[in-house]
Amino acid sequence: MPTVLVLNSGSSSLKYQLVDPGSGEVLAGGVVERIGEGTGRVAHEVAGEEVSREQPVADHGAALRLVLDLFEEAGPSLREAGIAAVGHRVVHGGTSFTAPVVVDDDVVEAVRGLVPLAPLHNPANVTGIEVARELLDVPHVAVFDTAFFTDLPPAAATYAIDAGTAAEHGVRRYGFHGTSHQFVSSAVAEHPAVTAMLAAAGREPGTLRQVVLHLGNGASASAVLGERAVETSMGLTPLEGLVMGTRSGDLDPGIIFHLVRSAHLSVDDVDTLLNKRSGLLGLSGVNDMRELTRLVGDGDPDARLALDVYLHRLRKYVGAYAAVLGGIDVLAFTAGVGENAAHVRAGVVEGLEFLGLAVDRERNEAGSRASRVISPAAGTPLVMVVPTNEELAIARQTIALVAP
Ligand SMILES: Nc1ncnc2c1ncn2[C@@H]1O[C@H](COP(=O)(O)OP(=O)(O)O)[C@@H](O)[C@H]1O
Ligand SMILES: CC(=O)OP(=O)(O)O
Ligand SMILES: [Mg+2]
């Protein structure tokens, strides 16, 4: 099967994978970090071997050139591998993009036009697409984080603000991490434990009520009924909702006015504060869950409070989404924290016994990498860990468009 190069341009990083969309095999992959900062780093992994380099990387264009050089040096050569297409993760698709599209000049301009709605993410996406199109003469496909949430019910997608202003400025809830929520919720729906549960109750797949928690650096929750997303925690931008590594998630918008008027912060200052200096980092000094867990173990009170705020917000969302769905059949954890931090999973479920949710200690703490049930054998609803794979999902959606 021809391979697809998947590019995920973040605000200061470029993650990439060369994937066989048929088998899911990753032929090579890596990350360029600290783009635009004084010191950059690139780590390229191929066949279990890592090649890394420290050097300043000016922008996402330079990052991509560096990656393509590494493919030629360390392999596999992209020229010889003959990639079929490049799949780009694009964070904000606005209302224009409800499904993946083959990139042309108009698409690039439309993604650029959405920069005001995603100032941290879309500029890097535009640069990534432009440079990749220049360097790699194959079809390019854009896959949007927002697409899975296009059909949110109006009651969930609408902010209760002046309707004319909202319409004029595209103010509505879009939702993000959709590629992951879609991948995970369909993996849940296909899992034998879930199909057996529905069959035993004589229920149709369309009635399956899931809450998916994507807990990475960015974090979001979704409520999925059958195959359809009916709620999600991120809104106009990826700032709303859960407590994240460096983002505040939900807060009283009055805080912004207070900081602008009383603390004389500029709008850009507040933007930076809420997106880059808040969340776990703002409360504890660290944004990485592994470090936070270490600090909590050492008895650090700030780290303890940060973790308590993080878990409290998650429990609120699970309870709210159970209400939105009229009950819950599956609670699924995914992404870096969700897949690896057993104490976070246990901490979310603790106190939600009234919904029937529980984790089995041994199952929760087993170090497996596979999709699995971690609730007690006899119980419903199910609590599950389901590894996400946004790159594979992007590669599959890309190849489906260019070589159907
Ligand atoms: N073994 C682990 N235990 C706890 N947290 C982990 C573990 N491995 C990764 N994480 C956490 O996962 C987060 C990163 O998640 P990831 O999905 O890779 O992020 P993103 O793709 O948003 O950059 C970090 O907070 C990191 O500490
Ligand atoms: C949309 C978003 O928050 O993405 P990430 O988690 O990659 O920052
Ligand atoms: Mg991620």
Side-chain angles (χ1 to χ4, degrees):
M1 182 113 183
T3 55
V4 173
L5 178 66
V6 177
L7 299 180
N8 177 353
S9 303
S11 54
S12 67
S13 69
L14 169 66
K15 294 185 194 161
Y16 62 94
Q17 271 188 13
L18 182 65
V19 187
D20 178 334
S23 66
E25 188 192 353
V26 178
L27 296 130
V31 59
V32 187
E33 294 170 303
R34 301 196 294 269
I35 297 172
E37 297 171 27
T39 56
R41 178 171 188 272
V42 53
H44 179 81
E45 197 178 315
V46 52
E49 300 271 321
E50 188 181 277
V51 188
S52 71
R53 235 185 244 173
E54 307 263 344
Q55 67 181 78
V57 184
D59 53 30
H60 283 80
L64 188 54
R65 289 194 174 85
L66 191 59
V67 167
L68 297 185
D69 287 348
L70 273 174
F71 269 106
E72 294 314 311
E73 280 168 38
S77 159
L78 291 186
R79 277 189 223 113
E80 283 159 27
I83 57 170
V86 181
H88 297 264
R89 176 190 179 206
V90 177
V91 165
H92 217 308
T95 46
S96 332
F97 298 108
T98 57
V101 288
V102 177
V103 175
D104 59 18
D105 293 345
D106 292 342
V107 169
V108 177
E109 283 324 303
V111 172
R112 200 194 310 280
L114 291 163
V115 162
L117 294 180
L120 290 181
H121 291 93
N122 273 40
N125 298 157
V126 172
T127 314
I129 292 173
E130 284 181 327
V131 176
R133 285 179 86 202
E134 204 181 296
L135 299 177
L136 296 163
D137 188 19
V138 291
H140 292 251
V141 171
V143 178
F144 299 90
D145 255 46
T146 43
F148 183 52
F149 300 114
T150 301
D151 290 329
L152 280 183
T158 307
Y159 289 109
I161 67 168
D162 174 74
T165 307
E168 192 182 342
H169 297 284
V171 177
R172 53 158 279 170
R173 306 190 62 255
Y174 293 94
F176 299 89
H177 293 142
T179 305
S180 178
H181 286 282
Q182 185 171 31
F183 181 89
V184 169
S185 58
S186 57
V188 165
E190 286 164 14
H191 194 279
V194 174
T195 52
M197 175 182 69
L198 287 180
R203 287 172 49 192
E204 294 299 319
T207 67
L208 181 66
R209 299 162 301 183
Q210 306 186 41
V211 176
V212 177
L213 300 178
H214 173 107
L215 309 179
N217 276 310
S220 61
S222 69
V224 183
L225 180 62
E227 292 182 5
R228 182 185 178 198
V230 294
E231 246 301 5
T232 193
S233 59
M234 286 176 164
L236 176 77
T237 75
L239 180 56
E240 190 179 347
L242 303 176
V243 177
M244 311 183 210
T246 65
R247 292 173 232 166
S248 61
D250 294 337
L251 44 72
D252 176 356
I255 292 171
I256 298 168
F257 315 135
H258 176 65
L259 292 174
V260 169
R261 293 192 186 116
S262 304
H264 305 295
L265 299 190
S266 69
V267 170
D268 284 346
D269 290 340
V270 179
D271 194 333
T272 304
L273 174 78
L274 298 181
N275 275 297
K276 298 193 167 166
R277 296 201 287 120
S278 295
L280 298 177
L281 178 73
L283 291 173
S284 72
V286 299
N287 67 295
D288 189 293
M289 184 54 78
R290 282 165 292 201
E291 285 180 55
L292 186 80
T293 304
R294 228 171 285 131
L295 290 174
V296 171
D298 292 345
D300 183 309
D302 296 338
R304 181 70 253 174
L305 178 62
L307 185 60
D308 288 345
V309 175
Y310 184 90
L311 293 174
H312 178 77
R313 183 82 51 88
L314 279 164
R315 281 192 293 267
K316 274 209 303 198
Y317 267 91
V318 175
Y321 285 9
V324 165
L325 290 164
I328 179 168
D329 298 310
V330 180
L331 173 63
F333 287 90
T334 196
V337 175
E339 290 166 31
N340 297 298
H343 71 95
V344 169
R345 296 192 295 259
V348 169
V349 168
E350 201 181 305
L352 296 179
E353 294 82 7
F354 76 100
L355 291 173
L357 295 167
V359 293
D360 174 83
R361 192 165 161 195
E362 211 166 294
R363 289 177 167 199
N364 185 33
E365 290 173 9
S368 163
R369 308 255 86 228
S371 291
R372 63 194 198 277
V373 175
I374 59 167
S375 44
T380 53
L382 301 175
V383 182
M384 298 180 68
V385 180
V386 178
T388 193
N389 193 338
E390 290 159 285
E391 289 75 16
L392 178 59
I394 291 171
R396 287 191 176 148
Q397 293 180 46
T398 298
I399 208 78
L401 262 192
V402 303

